[in-house]
Amino acid sequence: MPELPEVETIRLFLDRSVIGRTITAIEGSRPTIDRDQLAPLPGRKVTGTARHGKFLFVDLDPGSSLVFHFGMTGDLTLVPGDKPDPAYTRAVISFDDHSRLAFTDSRRFGRLGWVPDRAAFVAGKRLGPDGLTLVPAQFLSIATRSRRRVKLFLLDQHRIAGIGNIYADEILFQAGIRPLSLLHGCDPVRLSLLAAALPHVLRTAVDRAADFSAYPETWIIPYRARGESCPCCGGAVDRVMVAGRYAYFCPSCQE
Ligand SMILES: [Zn+2]
């Protein structure tokens, strides 16, 4: 599932590729898009991009934004005018230079919509602050009010926006905290490590374009599977079910 680093990587790509282009058509079908909602948008120029958590915005002139959520398998590919759409293309945005932005999504949980005001959209969704810009003091003020298990807290988009199953595991591995630990039971030193690990993991992932093969050798992400060994101590990686999904952790390195 695309999490904050994957969505930010797509945003940076769009920043380099589609700003200044004018939309000539938007095609696709439900449930990915509502064609009636997007019908007035051809003729609008792309002026910028933004992101909050896992939501990506493409700003249009004069005002308003396209909003993407990538669900489980969504992605965007810029296709030159003479090339066919990639497999699993669910929606296509065509531009005045004959290039197209293809929204691919094999599982069909992704959505493309339009919002008049992205700040109002974020407020309406009651999203927490974005994980990439969260400073440790801000994290601690949110975390110390929670009585939840730490992994559930990290996954709650209303508390902090952008973290999903995979990066939550990495943040907890880097902080040395087990996924089912209760936040209010964590000692202050561990909590400070967590506050520092969160933006560090997300920033490092974005800097490496969300490419798992480029992640540091001390990260657990490449070893999130049964039978793998911990990259730090060599012990067996364990897993536990949290909110219907497996959380992977090292029983030796995480308390
Ligand atoms: Zn270990």
Side-chain angles (χ1 to χ4, degrees), residues 173 230-235 250-254:
F173 181 68
C230 169
C232 289
C233 73
C250 173
S252 301
C253 296
Q254 291 169 257

Side-chain angles (χ1 to χ4, degrees), residues 90-158:
R90 308 300 186 193
V92 175
I93 302 171
S94 300
F95 296 105
D96 54 346
D97 65 351
H98 304 295
S99 65
R100 308 183 312 280
L101 199 57
F103 187 0
T104 58
D105 185 15
S106 62
R107 299 282 303 274
R108 285 183 177 264
F109 289 107
R111 297 289 181 269
L112 163 58
W114 172 81
V115 290
D117 180 339
R118 57 178 153 82
F121 174 83
V122 168
K125 291 275 184 192
R126 298 188 300 112
L127 296 176
D130 184 72
L132 200 58
T133 55
L134 192 72
V135 297
Q138 202 180 2
F139 172 83
L140 289 171
S141 81
I142 301 169
T144 50
R145 281 184 271 129
S146 174
R147 304 191 68 77
R148 305 185 74 182
R149 297 192 187 277
V150 62
K151 175 137 186 188
L152 289 173
F153 171 79
L154 291 176
L155 294 176
D156 184 351
Q157 303 300 299
H158 300 311

